Amino acid sequence: MYKKAKYTEHDKMSDLICDNYPMVLVTSRFGISLGFGEKNIGEACRHNNVDVNTFLTVVNFLLENKAEPIDPEKNKFSLHSIITYLRNAHDYFLNFRLPHIRRKLNEAIKTCPQDVAFVIQKFFDEYAEEVNKHMMYEEKVVFPYVKSLLKGERDQKYNITIFRKRHDQIEMKIIELKNILIKYYPGESDHMLNSVLFDIFATENDLATHSLVEDFIFVPAILELEKQ
């Protein structure tokens, strides 16, 4: 199916979703509900009180798949809307996606040797904890800092470069878990195990795109705000 190179507010929201199904997660994280009928992107965003420029900035950045900083002066997106997007993504990962995979994983490995099951669960739990620590740092430190900046208040002891330096890569644990399941799982694979593995790959990719939004949209905007 034909996919547009770049979407505008005049394109139908349903076309965006049908041509690029991962965008259903983006619409959800902006608080845009399904059931938008024939509304175009601009109408659907305004109907849900979402800043159109911010939505299009994130959508087109992810679809273009270019790891390049977005100029906040040229794109005129809303930092408040970006924070809403990131917070909703955190809620999705921590309170739905990772617990859902954990339940499916328990079901998938219940017939394998107990010591192997323990190791698999341990790797997954350590990975989930790393994701949780990463996101809670943003919730408790980074977002309040940015909101203060937006009010014209500056914390002289903190800046967004500190966040960039500790923006840890959390891929290693999930790579180890995938290796165990793919290379060393002792039992026969079945539909449930394959489904869990597929979910892990999809979640890893989703978290990677989440980090790209932080690194190339969110952080450059904060750097510009700090200059002011």
Side-chain angles (χ1 to χ4, degrees):
M1 184 177 291
Y2 170 74
K3 297 182 180 181
K4 287 177 67 69
K6 193 164 188 174
Y7 285 84
T8 73
E9 67 173 289
H10 303 295
D11 293 303
K12 285 186 179 180
M13 185 68 87
S14 58
D15 289 344
L16 168 67
I17 301 300
C18 291
D19 292 347
N20 312 275
Y21 69 88
M23 292 301 106
V24 73
L25 294 175
V26 175
T27 58
S28 173
R29 289 166 192 175
F30 273 106
I32 300 174
S33 302
L34 296 175
F36 27 70
E38 297 301 310
K39 289 185 177 71
N40 62 33
I41 290 173
E43 291 167 339
C45 285
R46 285 186 284 272
H47 181 76
N48 289 274
N49 298 313
V50 173
D51 182 76
V52 181
N53 286 339
T54 308
F55 179 80
L56 288 170
T57 296
V58 172
V59 163
N60 287 316
F61 169 75
L62 293 177
L63 292 178
E64 288 170 3
N65 198 27
K66 293 180 180 178
E68 300 173 356
I70 298 296
D71 186 344
E73 289 298 307
K74 290 182 179 179
N75 289 273
K76 303 295 182 184
F77 53 82
S78 162
L79 266 171
H80 286 293
S81 293
I82 291 291
I83 289 175
T84 296
Y85 169 87
L86 295 175
R87 278 194 155 145
N88 286 337
H90 292 174
D91 179 68
Y92 169 79
F93 287 121
L94 299 179
N95 297 319
F96 173 74
R97 190 64 171 170
L98 292 175
H100 176 69
I101 294 177
R102 181 63 156 82
R103 289 191 294 270
K104 286 180 67 174
L105 183 63
N106 286 346
E107 178 68 20
I109 63 176
K110 66 182 181 182
T111 59
C112 80
Q114 188 172 0
D115 57 337
V116 176
F118 174 79
V119 171
I120 291 173
Q121 290 168 336
K122 181 174 181 290
F123 270 103
F124 182 83
D125 289 343
E126 289 176 350
Y127 171 68
E129 179 57 27
E130 286 299 313
V131 174
N132 182 74
K133 283 166 54 179
H134 170 84
M135 293 181 174
M136 285 300 100
Y137 175 78
E138 293 175 16
E139 294 284 344
K140 295 177 180 180
V141 177
V142 180
F143 296 159
Y145 168 73
V146 174
K147 290 193 170 183
S148 294
L149 275 181
L150 290 168
K151 294 177 184 177
E153 303 167 2
R154 180 70 185 268
D155 182 352
Q156 298 301 326
K157 296 180 181 178
Y158 191 83
N159 59 64
I160 203 63
T161 304
I162 297 172
F163 167 66
R164 293 172 78 184
K165 288 180 178 178
R166 62 169 291 152
H167 198 184
D168 301 323
Q169 298 298 313
I170 53 179
E171 289 89 1
M172 190 53 63
K173 285 293 178 185
I174 204 69
I175 290 172
E176 292 170 341
L177 175 60
K178 288 188 302 183
N179 281 338
I180 292 173
L181 294 176
I182 295 170
K183 297 180 180 180
Y184 308 115
Y185 187 74
E188 292 185 8
S189 62
D190 56 17
H191 295 314
M192 180 61 78
L193 185 63
N194 291 336
S195 177
V196 170
L197 187 58
F198 185 88
D199 286 350
I200 290 171
F201 272 105
T203 301
E204 181 186 22
N205 183 66
D206 194 8
L207 279 165
T209 59
H210 176 77
S211 293
L212 288 175
V213 171
E214 292 177 337
D215 291 340
F216 295 107
I217 298 179
F218 182 63
V219 168
I222 309 309
L223 289 171
E224 189 64 32
L225 191 60
E226 288 177 341
K227 291 178 185 178
Q228 301 171 15

